[in-house]
Amino acid sequence: MMDPLDELLTKPPSVRTNDLCHPKVRAAFAALGNEGAIAWLEEHIDSPVGPEWGSMFHEFQPEWSVYDRWIRLSKLHCLAAIDAILIGAPSPYFDDPKQPELPRGADAVLVNRAVDYALEHYGNPRLRDAAKRIRHTWPVGKRPRHRIEIPKPLARIARWLLGDDAAPIREWRDAMAKALEPPQDEFDFWESLLEFCRKKGIIALVDWREWPDAIVGELRKLPSAKGLTVRWEAHEKHSGDNEELFRNINADLAQSSRALVNPDTGGDSFALLFVERADVPTLCEMIKAAVPDVNGMEILE
C-alpha cells in the first residue's frame, strides 16, 4: 500500500491541499515527528495555499525562528506561516473568548517586523487583511483607537436600548474605537449596536434556523421579559418554524401591554426583545430614519 504522503504527491495541487488534513495523512505526518512533518511541508508546499497548509504547519508547534524563515523563504511559505500565526488570534467577527497566543519564542515586535517583510515582498489583499488582524491583536506599543462619532439618530436609538445612563453608551463607543474596523456608515453602527446589546443581554440575537429551546432560553433571560406571563416550557418544545414560535409567544401576550418585536437586522437573523406595543410605531419610524437600509421594527404576530 502506498504511503499516504507519497499518494498525496500524486494528486493535483488543489486536491492535495484539500486532502492535507485527512486523518490518514495526519497520521503519516505524526509518524514523521514535528521536525520531519515541517520539513515535508516545507519541501512540498504548492499553490493554491489554502488554510490547510497553515493549519498543519501550526499543528507541529514550530519555534518562531521557523515561522520567520518561512515568511522570508517564498510567497507560498509566507502565506502558510501567516495563516498559522492567525490561528492564535481571536476572531474579530464574533465574541471570541480565546486569548491571543503567539508562536513559541515570538513577541509583538518580532511578529510585526515579519509582517512588514511579508507586505514589502509579497503584498496582496490576503496578506494585507492578515497583517491588519495581526497588528490589531499584537500591536507594538499602545493599540491605536479609531475616532468614533455616533450619528445623532443612532445615539437616540442607543439611549432607548441601553437606557439614559451614559456608562453603557461610553462602553459601546469604546468597543467601536478598539475594534479591528470602525463603523463606516449607519448600517455598520446599527450592527455594532445590536451586537453590543446582545453581549449585554438586552436583546436575543438569533439565527433564523436556531432551535426553539435555545431561542426560548435566551428570551426568558431578557430584562424586558420580566413579569410576563408566557408558556415558556411549552414553547421550548415547539416543532414548527420559528416565525410560528414568535406568533405563539405573542398570542400569550394578547392581554399584555408588551409584545415580542424584531428590530430589523438587515440580514436573516432576528433581534428579539419585548417592548410596549404603544411605542412600536414611534420606534419603527425612528429606526427607519436612522438606518435607511433596514425596515424598522415589527411585532412578530
Side-chain angles (χ1 to χ4, degrees), residues 66-300:
V66 183
Y67 277 88
D68 193 49
R69 180 166 56 79
W70 270 43
I71 287 169
R72 299 167 192 276
L73 190 58
S74 77
K75 184 176 182 178
L76 300 184
H77 292 87
C78 176
L79 288 169
I82 293 293
D83 282 347
I85 293 172
L86 285 175
I87 292 173
S91 171
Y93 306 112
F94 61 90
D95 193 18
D96 189 349
K98 180 174 69 177
Q99 292 299 309
E101 183 178 359
L102 281 168
R104 290 183 299 144
D107 60 29
V109 172
L110 291 173
V111 169
N112 277 269
R113 285 176 183 167
V115 165
D116 291 342
Y117 181 93
L119 292 177
E120 181 181 350
H121 289 81
Y122 320 118
N124 64 14
R126 177 175 166 184
L127 282 173
R128 285 194 289 273
D129 288 345
K132 189 179 295 183
R133 276 190 62 193
I134 289 169
R135 287 173 171 157
H136 178 77
T137 306
W138 297 288
V140 175
K142 191 175 181 180
R143 179 177 290 118
R145 291 174 60 89
H146 306 295
R147 178 184 173 88
I148 301 296
E149 293 290 340
I150 302 173
K152 289 183 179 180
L154 274 149
R156 286 195 290 272
I157 297 172
R159 286 194 294 273
W160 160 60
L161 283 167
L162 300 172
D164 289 327
D165 184 357
I169 303 291
R170 285 197 302 269
E171 188 177 347
W172 173 43
R173 184 193 301 272
D174 189 58
M176 291 186 286
K178 295 188 295 188
L180 178 64
E181 297 284 358
Q184 299 296 318
D185 55 26
E186 291 90 347
F187 185 76
D188 288 349
F189 276 99
W190 178 236
E191 282 193 316
S192 174
L193 178 59
L194 292 177
E195 177 61 20
F196 182 78
C197 289
R198 181 197 67 79
K199 292 178 182 178
K200 290 296 181 182
I202 295 168
I203 65 170
L205 196 59
V206 301
D207 187 84
W208 67 277
R209 297 164 297 185
E210 185 61 83
W211 292 101
D213 59 340
I215 293 175
V216 171
E218 291 297 313
L219 290 177
R220 296 182 73 165
K221 295 185 294 185
L222 296 177
S224 59
K226 187 176 181 180
L228 295 178
T229 302
V230 176
R231 295 174 299 118
W232 298 116
E233 288 78 11
H235 295 312
E236 285 178 344
K237 302 172 184 175
H238 177 75
S239 59
D241 64 41
N242 285 335
E243 291 187 358
E244 182 183 43
L245 168 66
F246 303 147
R247 290 194 296 270
N248 292 344
I249 291 172
N250 266 326
D252 288 353
L253 298 174
Q255 304 305 313
S256 171
S257 64
R258 273 178 280 171
L260 179 63
V261 301
N262 173 43
D264 184 17
T265 65
D268 56 7
S269 59
F270 293 95
L272 305 172
L273 74 162
F274 298 93
V275 303
E276 293 294 319
R277 290 176 182 269
D279 293 340
V280 171
T282 299
L283 295 171
C284 179
E285 292 306 312
M286 188 167 70
I287 292 171
K288 288 196 292 186
V291 194
D293 292 338
V294 302
N295 293 319
M297 174 192 290
E298 63 173 335
I299 298 178
L300 295 168

Side-chain angles (χ1 to χ4, degrees), residues 45-72:
I45 194 168
D46 203 349
S47 180
V49 179
E52 296 85 357
W53 288 94
S55 177
M56 292 306 297
F57 179 70
H58 177 271
E59 186 166 320
F60 298 113
Q61 303 177 347
E63 295 276 355
W64 171 249
S65 59
V66 183
Y67 277 88
D68 193 49
R69 180 166 56 79
W70 270 43
I71 287 169
R72 299 167 192 276

